[in-house]
Structures are given as C-alpha cells and as structure tokens.
Amino acid sequence: MIPSVNKSGSRTIGLLAYLYGPGKHEEHTDPHLVASFDGMSPDPGRDTNATLKDLQQLLDQPVMALAEHARPAKHVWHTSVRADPGDRILSDEEWADIARRIVAATGIDPGDGQPGCRWAAVRHADDHIHIVATLVTEDGHRPDDFRSGARAQAEARLIEKELGLRRVAPGDGTAAQRPTSAERHKAERQGRDRTAREELRETVRRAVSGTRSDEEFFERLAAAGLLIRKRVAPSGDLLGYKVALPDDLNKDGTPVFYPGARLASDLSLPRIRERWTADTRNASAQQDDAARAGPGAPARARRTSASAAWEAVLYVQQGEDAVAAGHIAAVGEVLDALAATSAAHTRRELRDAATAFERASRSHIRAVRGHDRALRQAARDLVHGGPALGSGEDGATTAMAIDMLFFLITAAAHWHAKKGHAQQAEAAMRAAEHLRAAYQAAAAQPLGVLYQRGRRLSRPMLQRQTVMLREALPHLAEQILAEPGWYALAATIAEAEAVGHDPAALLSGAVERRELDTADSMSDVLVWRLRRMADLPADASIRTENGATGRTSSTRKTAVRPNAPSRHRGGEDSPGKSR
C-alpha cells in the first residue's frame, strides 16, 4: 500500500472536480465519499441534492474564517492511498478506516480531542482512495503535518500487516524522487515511455560512468543532447548544474530544467565530484584512454570488467561498510556503461538491470570512494572501447562480464539484506534477474561452440579429464559430470592444458573463490572462471597465429591462482541457475 502525499494545492474545488469527474488518465467508476472529518459531509457522488460546491465550502470554512492576509496561499493537502495490484479488493468500510488512520498519523486530524483539519476521502476505483484536506485547523492554526509523507508511509506499513496486504519494503529516504502524477500524465500525452525526470536521470547516470573531471562530464551531457545550465559563484567557481530535454517544454514554451540533486541525491555536482576526486589520488596507476581503444577494445573492456567485478566481491563481503558501499555504487556505473555499449540482443535486459540497480546503489551508509577505482576504470574502458558486436569475442566476453557482475550484484543484495536495507536488497535482486536473462542471451552461442568441441574430444582424453576432475574436486565432480555443460568445461580444460596450464590447479583456484556445490550450472560458472584465469579467448572459435585455439597472449607454464580467501560463497547464485 503506497500513500503519495502532495500538499501544494490552492483550489479545493478544482481537486474535487477531478476526483468526482470521469477521469482524465484512468476511468473513475462510481466516485463517492467513504469517510470525512465529521462523518456527515455531503457526497456529490451519490447524493443527488449535494454539489461539489457544497463539499468545497464545508472543507474551506476554517480557511475562509481567517482574515484574508492570514490565509495560506496553498492550503489544499492531498494524498492518494493505493493498494498493490495483487491485494484483495477492500470494502468501503476498510478504506474509511484507512483514511481515518492516515489523517491521524500525518497530523491532519490527530484525534484524541486535538483540533484537526477538515478532510474527505473519495473512492473512484477498486484499488485506491484520495484524501483531500484544508490546512487550517478548526481553531484557526496550522496543523502539525511535518514529514507527513514519511508518517503516512509508516502507518501504511502497520495497515498492511493488520489487513494481510502485500508488505511494501519501508523506505529510508535515499530513493530518487519519483515522477509526479503531472509528469507522468505529460509523458503519456507526449507519447513517451518514461517521464522527462526518468530519462534525464538515466542520461546523467551514464554520463557519470568513469568520468574524471567536470569538463568531461559536461561534454558527455552535451553529446547526449541535453540542455545544460551551470550555477556559478561570483568567484567563478562552479557550484551546480541543471539539465533539460530540448523537447520537454512548460506551458510558456521554455524547457523544464531539473537540478542534478532533484534527479537523485548522488547526482548533485558535489557528490559526483567525490568519484573522480578519489580517482585522481592515484593518477599514476591510470592508463591512457587512447591505449585502451582500437581493434578489440570492446572485448578487452569486458575482460577488465569481469576481473574488476571478481575482485570487488572481496570488498563487498569482507570490507568496511563505507568501502563496500563505494564498490556497490560503482557497480551501477559499470552496468550503465555495459548497457550503453552492448549489442541489441542483450541491451534491453542490461538497461533494465542498470535501472533496477540504481536504487541499490544508495543507502544511509555513505560511500567512501577511491577503493572502487578498478570498477570505475572498467566503466571508463567500456565507454571508450565503444559498441560491442553480439558475436565473436565481443559477445563471449559480454557473457563472461555478466557472469562476474551477477555474482557481485548478488553479493551486494546479501550485504544490503544484512544491513536491513530492504528496498536496496530487493532492487539488487531485480537487477540480478535481468542479468540472468541477459546472460542466457549472451552465453548461448559461445557455450554451444564449446559444447560441440567437447563432444568431439577423444574418449581417452575425456576419461583422463574425468579422473583429474574427481581428484581436483572430489565433492563436486559427480554433479559436474552429470551436467550437459560438462562438455563445454572439458573443452576449456583441454585448451588450458594445451597452452601449458595445470588444469587441476585452475579448477581448485576457481572453487577457492566461490563455493559451487548448490549451483544448478556449475559447469557454466567454471568455464568462465577458467577462461579468464587462463587468459583464454572467451570465444573458443578464435585461433592464434600458430593455428591453435585458446590463448590470447604468450603461453605460461603456471596456473593463475586467485588471491582471495576460500570462504567466498555464491554458487547458488549463478546466472545459469534454473535454465
């Protein structure tokens, strides 16, 4: 149940006309009063002798009793209270009780003998009511409605529990501002899928990904087609910014600008600067962007992202809270950059994952930036690497990166859950589901190639690999051997061994970083771990200059061993699960 408070109205009659009217954006069915301040207010919906003017005059009476100069300019308080689509249909009596509880909790009509405001609750649909009140109490004072929105939300959580309705995760004040009903209706009139606020927030988020300076940030905003206004101090220092869509105009025909902080709290200029200020403290470790571009850049950037995500898990699971929060915030940058540069068949799910994860990137634990430098560099590499193809090494490294990011985002969801961040944990899990879908689209072709190659391995080689697997992973071997993906893993093991790696050491190292005994697709997980650790091409069809498959760089004779502790978990969260 979601109450949405708006207390900026100035015309009671105008709001009543809408509530009792046919509806502009949804059909109003049988508009009628379910409750009011005195229980006897006229109902223009069902009483043929009552008019909207009668109800308006009754509600406005305490306001009009004041001297004209003492009347508040905007005296209309309004909230809608909407049930979840999956909830049962509530009766008028239940909605009446909900209305009385909301106005009491918000201070509009506190009860217990305290003077309250006049109000009425109108129902014109099965799933919600509207409450309209006038912000002058019966004794002529202003009500104590401070933080009425938060108080309404808290009361709604109690109502959900008592009535057996769907429990909405409690908010913590860190969510981005939701579009207003006026913004949503405007988007509908203009034929937009999203409101201007939502479109601007996504564009600004993407412009931030991996940036290192004010100049670069504003260049990206301009390149995205946004209008920009900068707020400059008399000293010449840049203090803030506003952005607008060129075609989002107000009634006067001028663009509607939104300050960065009104899009999301972490998109204000001071908060954005925290990211690149921390980066420049170790500028000597940064590589030139030009060196990261050119042929093969999208695939290299995805490998960088996979490695950065893999290492970031340690910080999220075992680091200090502020450092973990910084890494979780940086994950959003990587997702935004990956979505912006990936091929069409994965772009939609990756974009939805980034949008969902945006809520998980902020909490009351203030992020300390700087330790997240590898993730921010990965986002920068993705942007400078440019668009990726949907096949070949680009497509396969996309699957590899998604696999690692899935694990990191699931770790972030567990971290939020432990901290009691219900909305953030839920958002991270939604993002993980979108990543699962993107992974399946990206991984099908490269894993199919590996599967066919594994099926063509000689029987003696498969038997030798089976023995090696049972010796290296005795507690997991039988489950892996029973999976269809075993053949893809066998092909990967053969490639790694052909270029000088010890496959048993690689397998042991991969499992040290992540427990796999509850995964549905352990083979898939191990394929990507081994190919990354052994520096094999993600696309098994790629051949090196000497004609052999596998290596992208010079052959090494020792296995790459991870440097993280063996207590990392997460096999149950593989994106290959339930396929």
Side-chain angles (χ1 to χ4, degrees), residues 203 217-226 228:
T203 304
F217 171 58
F218 288 115
E219 284 174 5
R220 289 195 190 179
L221 291 180
L226 300 190
I228 306 165

Side-chain angles (χ1 to χ4, degrees), residues 227-242:
L227 302 178
I228 306 165
R229 284 182 181 171
K230 299 177 183 179
R231 185 162 61 92
V232 181
S235 63
D237 293 336
L238 182 61
L239 301 178
Y241 72 99
K242 296 179 180 180

Side-chain angles (χ1 to χ4, degrees), residues 455-509:
R455 294 282 296 185
R456 293 194 295 268
L457 292 175
S458 66
R459 183 177 295 275
M461 178 173 286
L462 283 172
Q463 289 176 339
R464 182 165 57 82
Q465 290 188 356
T466 299
V467 172
M468 181 274 299
L469 180 69
R470 286 174 171 151
E471 291 176 350
L473 306 177
H475 59 301
L476 301 176
E478 298 309 317
Q479 185 173 344
I480 293 172
L481 291 169
E483 293 177 353
W486 155 243
Y487 289 103
L489 179 58
T492 296
I493 292 171
E495 288 183 44
E497 189 172 24
V499 295
H501 281 288
D502 178 353
L506 281 174
L507 284 167
S508 297

Side-chain angles (χ1 to χ4, degrees), residues 171-192:
D172 62 1
T174 63
Q177 185 172 329
R178 277 188 261 177
T180 65
S181 58
E183 290 171 347
R184 292 194 300 271
H185 297 158
K186 184 178 181 180
E188 291 174 10
R189 292 194 304 271
Q190 296 175 341
R192 297 179 186 272

Side-chain angles (χ1 to χ4, degrees), residues 77-365:
W77 184 92
H78 168 224
T79 185
S80 62
V81 186
R82 189 176 296 270
D84 186 80
D87 286 336
R88 61 183 175 84
I89 296 177
L90 302 177
S91 67
D92 278 357
E93 291 73 20
E94 288 173 312
W95 278 119
D97 183 59
I98 289 169
R100 285 188 284 267
R101 292 181 62 170
I102 292 294
V103 295
T106 55
I108 296 299
D109 190 6
D112 296 329
Q114 301 179 65
C117 300
R118 295 190 176 188
W119 60 272
V122 178
R123 181 180 188 180
H124 56 210
D126 286 340
D127 63 347
H128 70 279
I129 60 171
H130 292 261
I131 306 173
V132 54
T134 50
L135 293 174
V136 175
T137 62
E138 296 286 4
D139 61 356
H141 292 90
R142 171 88 187 192
D144 178 16
D145 64 334
F146 178 67
R147 299 186 73 245
S148 58
R151 290 153 70 177
Q153 293 288 348
E155 188 66 21
R157 304 293 80 79
L158 298 176
I159 293 170
E160 291 162 354
K161 182 178 181 180
E162 294 175 19
L163 296 185
L165 306 177
R166 180 181 179 272
R167 308 285 292 278
V168 176
D172 62 1
T174 63
Q177 185 172 329
R178 277 188 261 177
T180 65
S181 58
E183 290 171 347
R184 292 194 300 271
H185 297 158
K186 184 178 181 180
E188 291 174 10
R189 292 194 304 271
Q190 296 175 341
R192 297 179 186 272
D193 294 333
R194 297 177 297 167
T195 65
R197 183 190 298 273
E198 291 168 317
E199 195 168 333
L200 287 168
R201 181 161 55 239
E202 178 179 296
T203 304
V204 174
R205 277 202 338 255
R206 288 187 175 184
V208 172
S209 295
T211 52
R212 293 179 181 163
S213 67
D214 291 356
E215 293 75 16
E216 183 179 16
F217 171 58
F218 288 115
E219 284 174 5
R220 289 195 190 179
L221 291 180
L226 300 190
L227 302 178
I228 306 165
R229 284 182 181 171
K230 299 177 183 179
R231 185 162 61 92
V232 181
S235 63
D237 293 336
L238 182 61
L239 301 178
Y241 72 99
K242 296 179 180 180
V243 288
L245 298 174
D247 57 349
D248 180 39
L249 309 177
N250 61 21
K251 62 181 181 180
D252 298 322
T254 58
V256 180
F257 281 85
Y258 293 80
R262 294 295 181 89
L263 299 177
S265 60
D266 56 348
L267 294 181
S268 68
L269 188 59
R271 292 291 300 275
I272 289 173
R273 281 172 167 165
E274 292 176 3
R275 311 184 194 200
W276 57 67
T277 300
D279 285 349
T280 56
R281 291 173 189 159
N282 191 19
S284 60
Q286 298 171 349
Q287 299 182 29
D288 183 71
D289 293 326
R292 296 172 180 268
R300 289 196 301 273
R302 279 151 178 75
R303 277 187 171 271
T304 299
S305 300
S307 297
W310 185 249
E311 297 302 325
V313 171
L314 179 65
Y315 290 97
V316 173
Q317 291 185 332
Q318 299 181 17
E320 296 178 0
D321 284 350
V323 173
H327 279 79
I328 292 171
V331 172
E333 295 190 46
V334 177
L335 283 175
D336 282 322
L338 190 63
T341 58
S342 286
H345 70 301
T346 56
R347 189 181 306 136
R348 176 61 181 271
E349 292 293 349
L350 289 172
R351 173 179 164 178
D352 289 346
T355 299
F357 192 77
E358 187 263 347
R359 180 67 187 95
S361 65
R362 293 184 304 274
S363 69
H364 277 308
I365 297 176

